[in-house]
Amino acid sequence: MAHYKTEQDDWLIVYLKYLLFVFNFFFWVGGAAVLAVGIWTLVEKSGYLSVLASSTFAASAYILIFAGALVMVTGFLGFGAILREQKGCLSTYFCLLLVIFLVELVAGVLAHVYYQRLSDELKQHLNQTLAENYGQPGATQITASVDRLQQDFKCCGSNSSADWQHSTYILSREAEGRRVPDSCCKTVVTRCGQRAHPSNIYKVEGGCLTKLEQFLADHLLLMGAVGIGVACLQICGMVLTCCLHRRLQRHFY
């Protein structure tokens, strides 16, 4: 007949339970942080995504949101498994930890890889966007993204305001004599872009390329650090879960 020793009879089980409980708490908090970073990136910074050539930046954020939500659900399961000392729940908890570990590792690696080629992509795509897509029919989202970019970063053009001289929009009748878009102006009013004086537009402040590159690089590093950091933390959780599971198995005899 199977006999189970209570936790009072084995200090090691009690010790492992407390360790795993503490880990699970920080794991749950980490999941909330991952979820918050992912949502914040998409909600607050989605206006810049249209000027990027690839969707890797957005994909990394979506993966973090998925992983963060899964972490929070798994955290609740972990608390129940620890308190009830159920081997089945502990096994499920371990499997979910492994899945989340892989998901967050992928998000972190994606962010790191994209960080390596961010500069070249921005140089090529931002210039092309300003020259060919801005202000064109069917490119409303891109136009709005560029306008927001120039206002938020207080910049004009890719490298300088002179980049707009080759823009299809500026050379068209729709520009109404503007030398730069109105979003280049320090104080935006209708057709303020007709006057390209440094007192009126962001001319001496430089272009948007360097500022956007630094902004995205900082966010990619944050996303990568959060993803990989929480993933590494989960290794400790998986080890503790295995130890507690094996210890509970030995107490059935």
Side-chain angles (χ1 to χ4, degrees):
M1 180 178 179
H3 174 69
Y4 177 75
K5 291 184 179 180
T6 61
E7 62 181 20
Q8 288 82 7
D9 297 328
D10 193 333
W11 64 269
L12 186 56
I13 288 182
V14 177
Y15 182 69
L16 285 172
K17 283 180 62 178
Y18 277 118
L19 274 180
L20 194 54
F21 195 89
V22 170
F23 158 79
N24 198 63
F25 172 76
F26 285 107
F27 174 62
W28 190 87
V29 172
V34 169
L35 182 64
V37 169
I39 293 176
W40 175 67
T41 299
L42 288 181
V43 173
E44 292 295 325
K45 312 305 173 186
S46 59
Y48 307 135
L49 298 181
S50 297
V51 301
L52 302 179
S54 72
S55 59
T56 309
F57 184 81
S60 298
Y62 279 118
I63 291 175
L64 286 181
I65 291 175
F66 171 75
L70 190 57
V71 163
M72 299 188 74
V73 173
T74 303
F76 285 116
L77 175 63
F79 285 126
I82 296 167
L83 292 174
R84 296 184 179 184
E85 298 182 7
Q86 293 180 345
K87 292 183 292 181
C89 287
L90 285 173
S91 298
T92 303
Y93 180 61
F94 175 84
C95 291
L96 287 174
L97 284 179
L98 182 59
V99 170
I100 297 169
F101 170 79
L102 295 175
V103 168
E104 290 183 341
L105 199 59
V106 167
V109 170
L110 273 178
H112 178 72
V113 170
Y114 186 59
Y115 173 77
Q116 301 299 317
R117 57 188 181 88
L118 175 63
S119 180
D120 291 337
E121 177 182 311
L122 280 179
K123 287 177 183 177
Q124 179 181 359
H125 191 67
L126 189 57
N127 284 324
Q128 180 181 355
T129 298
L130 268 57
E132 301 176 8
N133 303 118
Y134 182 88
Q136 300 306 300
T140 305
Q141 188 174 2
I142 292 178
T143 301
S145 294
V146 173
D147 286 339
R148 179 180 174 183
L149 175 67
Q150 294 189 138
Q151 280 294 298
D152 287 354
F153 290 109
K154 302 184 186 305
C155 56
C156 186
S158 179
N159 296 296
S160 70
S161 59
D163 294 331
W164 286 108
Q165 295 176 5
H166 310 290
S167 169
T168 302
Y169 167 73
I170 294 299
L171 297 174
S172 68
R173 292 182 179 180
E174 286 76 10
E176 298 180 328
R178 291 178 176 86
R179 298 175 63 184
V180 294
D182 291 343
S183 57
C184 280
C185 299
K186 296 179 179 179
T187 302
V188 178
V189 294
T190 304
R191 289 190 289 276
C192 63
Q194 292 175 343
R195 181 170 173 265
H197 192 272
S199 63
N200 184 51
I201 68 169
Y202 296 114
K203 194 168 187 176
V204 297
E205 288 81 359
C208 301
L209 179 63
T210 303
K211 296 180 179 180
L212 179 59
E213 181 181 348
Q214 185 60 52
F215 170 82
L216 292 176
D218 291 343
H219 277 71
L220 285 170
L221 286 176
L222 175 63
M223 291 165 63
V226 169
I228 294 177
V230 175
C232 292
L233 178 65
Q234 288 170 226
I235 296 177
C236 299
M238 288 187 284
V239 171
L240 289 173
T241 303
C242 285
C243 291
L244 181 58
H245 187 277
R246 290 188 62 184
R247 194 67 188 179
L248 289 174
Q249 275 187 323
R250 291 179 181 178
H251 280 69
F252 282 95
Y253 61 87

